[in-house]
Amino acid sequence: AKDGDTITLVDDIEVSASSVGNTQGAVTITKDIILDGNGKTIKITGVSGTESTRPSAINIQGNADVTVKNLTVDSNGAKHGLNINDAGDVKLEDVEITGSAWYAIVCNNSELTVDGLDTHGNQWGINVDRGGTLEIDDADISEDYSVVVEGSTKATVELNGGSYNV
């Protein structure tokens, strides 16, 4: 893919994480793209190792501005569903994330806007760290720790709507 592309799934897909290590993603996005799930699922397979050393399902990085919409992410035991790390502006629209060993989403040093998110079956909801910014207009985050802010640098969280556990 190149900057400006829209990638639209036409079928559910499985992506192997068997040769991918800690801090990496089974899928890695480094370009300014729109990922339109088109109502389909990306399921991660081949996850092994202890939870702290597993890869994430999808990494968004490299200062990429990315929109993910109409997609289900089945982490199937991967560490995090979306690992957004040193990305640009990331927007989620009607995204479902399930099955993550740790967080559904980690947002480090990036800006994340959410309008339609459903997380369930993950250890925790969203982690905002290292100067990350999170704005949620609509989300249903069912994990016990819905939004966790960590780190010594300033993070910004704005919850405008949705349901959370606090």
Side-chain angles (χ1 to χ4, degrees):
K2 62 184 184 297
D3 285 341
D5 280 357
T6 297
I7 298 170
T8 304
L9 298 184
V10 294
D11 284 309
D12 295 336
I13 62 171
E14 292 186 357
V15 179
S16 175
S18 62
S19 62
V20 184
N22 185 29
T23 74
Q24 297 178 311
V27 174
T28 300
I29 300 172
T30 59
K31 302 287 184 187
D32 299 345
I33 64 165
I34 297 171
L35 175 55
D36 185 347
N38 193 28
K40 306 299 184 196
T41 299
I42 294 176
K43 180 178 181 177
I44 306 305
T45 63
V47 176
S48 62
T50 60
E51 292 174 350
S52 64
T53 63
R54 293 176 187 171
S56 294
I58 299 174
N59 272 20
I60 301 174
Q61 59 196 45
N63 205 35
D65 295 331
V66 177
T67 298
V68 179
K69 62 183 184 178
N70 306 317
L71 177 67
T72 297
V73 177
D74 180 353
S75 295
N76 196 24
K79 187 184 216 176
H80 308 303
L82 295 180
N83 183 22
I84 304 166
N85 196 358
D86 295 322
D89 294 326
V90 177
K91 294 176 177 59
L92 304 182
E93 302 169 5
D94 300 319
V95 172
E96 178 182 356
I97 301 173
T98 186
S100 305
W102 282 7
Y103 284 100
I105 300 172
V106 172
C107 179
N108 286 333
N109 195 34
S110 306
E111 294 183 22
L112 175 60
T113 304
V114 175
D115 188 7
L117 172 66
D118 179 6
T119 70
H120 54 93
N122 306 286
Q123 181 72 28
W124 306 293
I126 301 175
N127 174 285
V128 184
D129 197 355
R130 296 197 307 112
T133 299
L134 170 65
E135 180 180 344
I136 296 179
D137 292 324
D138 182 29
D140 181 5
I141 303 176
S142 63
E143 289 78 11
D144 285 340
Y145 294 97
S146 293
V147 178
V148 177
V149 178
E150 291 183 316
S152 59
T153 58
K154 183 178 178 183
T156 304
V157 175
E158 184 177 326
L159 306 178
N160 298 319
S163 61
Y164 314 92
N165 291 313
V166 291

